[in-house]
Amino acid sequence: MVTLRRITAANLWQIVALEVAPEQRSFVADNRTSILEAYAANEGGGTARAFGVYAGEVPVGFVLLSYGCKDWPDAPAIAHDNYCIWRLMIDRRYQGQGYGKAALEAALACIRTQPFGPAESCWLSYEPDNTAAKALYHAYGFRETGDRDGGEMIAVLRLEPPSGLCE
């Protein structure tokens, strides 16, 4: 079973050590950078929460969720009062085993509880060349809007009523 666990002093360095394959590094920031960006967002009045993705007791990936855009002056319009799957990665040793799908399902279950506030949508962005991410997100109902966040494609999912839990 895959679960999301908040990043704490107890698991920080295990999560920081996770990494994607070398050919995927242009698609996602490393976990250290992501955790620092979450900290900066929270300090700036935003809402971001970092999670380790666990298969039982084994850390296999990382997810960063955010809500709204209080600290982001040039945010895309969809960011206002909506959830974002800011980062999602599965360590190279655990890819191809269904953990990406399970992590996305767990992230969406958490978001559907609306832990940071009410929202109608969840959005994310990905590099146009990341065909694996596009296929995964499309399979879960995310649709491209034609907008971009920097050079990344923006895709949006309309949220269903709340259900699910996250730690």
Side-chain angles (χ1 to χ4, degrees):
M1 178 176 173
V2 169
T3 58
L4 302 183
R5 297 184 191 169
R6 288 189 65 177
I7 305 296
T8 66
N11 66 359
L12 172 65
W13 296 111
Q14 289 178 321
I15 302 304
V16 166
L18 300 175
E19 60 184 9
V20 295
E23 64 273 13
Q24 298 169 320
R25 290 185 184 144
S26 65
F27 295 151
V28 65
D30 63 86
N31 294 345
R32 180 186 307 256
T33 298
S34 295
I35 292 166
L36 288 169
E37 288 178 340
Y39 175 81
N42 288 327
E43 287 297 305
T47 303
R49 185 155 300 151
F51 296 93
V53 176
Y54 283 79
E57 295 302 312
V58 178
V60 299
F62 173 81
V63 172
L64 177 57
L65 305 179
S66 66
Y67 175 76
C69 56
K70 291 178 186 175
D71 66 325
W72 188 6
D74 60 343
I78 190 65
H80 296 274
D81 297 323
N82 282 307
Y83 286 88
C84 176
I85 300 176
W86 190 356
R87 300 275 158 66
L88 170 63
M89 67 78 71
I90 301 299
D91 184 88
R92 62 187 173 156
R93 296 168 293 172
Y94 302 104
Q95 291 180 6
Q97 300 175 43
Y99 293 126
K101 291 176 185 176
L104 181 58
E105 288 172 5
L108 290 170
C110 177
I111 287 167
R112 286 186 177 111
T113 69
Q114 302 196 358
F116 311 132
E120 293 182 3
S121 298
C122 174
W123 70 284
L124 48 75
S125 63
Y126 57 87
E127 293 291 339
D129 294 339
N130 192 344
T131 56
K134 179 179 180 173
L136 174 64
Y137 301 142
H138 192 267
Y140 281 84
F142 283 90
R143 297 296 178 256
E144 291 81 16
T145 64
D147 295 327
R148 291 188 179 242
D149 178 20
E152 294 185 354
M153 303 294 297
I154 292 177
V156 176
L157 174 70
R158 183 151 179 86
L159 294 174
E160 300 165 9
S163 66
L165 300 172
C166 55
E167 295 179 33

